Amino acid sequence: MPPLRPPLPVAPTLKKLGKAIASLELPAIEKIAEELMGDAFHVLISTMLSAQTKDPVTLAASLRLFEVAPTPEALARLSTSRIEKLIYPVSFYRNKAVHVKETARILVREHGGQVPTTMEELLRLPGVGRKTANLTLIVACRSQDNICVDTHVHRIANRFGWVRTRTPEQTERALYDVAPRKWWATINLHLVTWGQHVCKPVYPQCGRCILNDTCPRIGVVREGRVA
Ligand code: SF4
């Protein structure tokens, strides 16, 4: 068992991680936003595809889909079975095909082909939860007022001792209280990148982690071996 340590300070830790992730591969949604110039429609749809799917699979499926359907109008016109084939093998591809098609139809019908820019409107789209809505607002709309919490952010914020929560929704609420506002928009990028490369769900690589000396590692049962 690691010795009991106090929670990591939020702002200095995020600053450290910001430097450390500079050389690491970006998460899929950021890559898509970079490649497709931060287009809100692409960010929204690829975030919907990304749920419980590995990043390389999300990236490849999104790019295949956008090559055929680069706009809400084009996506709304595709059949569900065509969308299924384009996005396979993302997990739950059948449900996701239905959701992205219906979302595209709503964007065309009710929003003039644009992605809405409020949480309320985004949450009314089929298959869009708080994670997708927050990430769309942050990455595509450049919002500084949202924190996007996925499984990486939820797990690592608890390991750091920033929050003591059971669900990503609880973590999001708690982080608004403990994290300085200037970091809200970047918490996701920092912790997701760190979670994919170092602070992994199982066997985190504590031995090669820059936070090794101070991290309280709350809930970490086994650490990964460092070669
Ligand atoms: S890898 Fe280990 S030391 Fe590094 S942040 Fe995760 S739990 Fe803390």
Side-chain angles (χ1 to χ4, degrees):
M1 279 283 284
L4 272 183
R5 293 166 173 164
L8 290 175
V10 179
T13 302
L14 287 167
K15 206 170 167 190
K16 248 188 199 178
L17 289 181
K19 284 187 190 144
I21 64 171
S23 58
L24 300 177
E25 197 175 340
L26 285 173
I29 307 303
E30 265 79 11
K31 269 195 200 158
I32 288 164
E34 241 180 32
E35 282 190 31
L36 302 171
M37 318 269 282
D39 178 275
F41 169 66
H42 296 131
V43 170
L44 171 65
I45 299 297
S46 51
T47 307
M48 290 172 76
L49 297 183
S50 72
Q52 296 186 47
T53 300
K54 293 210 177 305
D55 261 24
V57 177
T58 301
L59 186 59
S62 301
L63 296 176
R64 274 196 309 274
L65 180 64
F66 297 145
E67 199 167 323
V68 177
T71 62
E73 290 80 4
L75 182 53
R77 279 196 299 269
L78 289 186
S79 68
T80 309
S81 60
R82 181 87 200 280
I83 299 173
E84 282 177 7
K85 286 193 186 90
L86 287 165
I87 65 174
Y88 181 84
V90 299
S91 49
F92 310 112
Y93 65 95
R94 288 205 173 94
N95 281 345
K96 288 177 182 174
V98 172
H99 286 155
V100 296
K101 180 179 168 71
E102 186 53 22
T103 289
R105 285 173 51 167
I106 294 172
L107 296 185
V108 174
R109 213 172 44 219
E110 298 177 19
H111 299 281
Q114 301 297 311
V115 171
T117 54
T118 68
M119 175 63 77
E120 293 68 29
E121 290 171 307
L122 283 165
L123 288 179
R124 272 189 232 121
L125 299 170
V128 173
R130 289 195 67 85
K131 186 195 95 168
T132 297
N134 276 317
L135 199 59
T136 302
L137 292 169
I138 292 167
V139 176
C141 307
R142 301 272 175 264
S143 167
Q144 299 294 312
D145 300 329
N146 296 79
I147 299 177
C148 174
V149 176
D150 69 348
T151 56
H152 290 294
V153 177
H154 173 59
R155 176 184 75 251
I156 298 174
N158 274 280
R159 282 180 179 172
F160 286 176
W162 292 351
V163 299
R164 292 184 65 148
T165 52
R166 289 176 176 277
T167 66
E169 290 74 20
Q170 290 174 358
T171 300
E172 185 193 336
R173 281 199 295 276
L175 282 175
Y176 287 119
D177 289 333
V178 299
R181 180 177 273 265
K182 73 172 265 207
W183 292 101
W184 288 3
T186 45
I187 285 178
N188 183 273
L189 174 63
H190 287 40
L191 297 195
V192 171
T193 311
W194 203 241
Q196 288 177 340
H197 294 274
V198 182
C199 193
K200 299 179 180 183
V202 186
Y203 300 123
Q205 307 277 298
C206 303
R208 70 178 188 90
C209 178
I210 51 160
L211 304 170
N212 191 21
D213 291 343
T214 49
C215 178
R217 295 175 217 180
I218 294 165
V220 172
V221 183
R222 283 193 201 91
E223 297 171 17
R225 286 214 189 113
V226 179

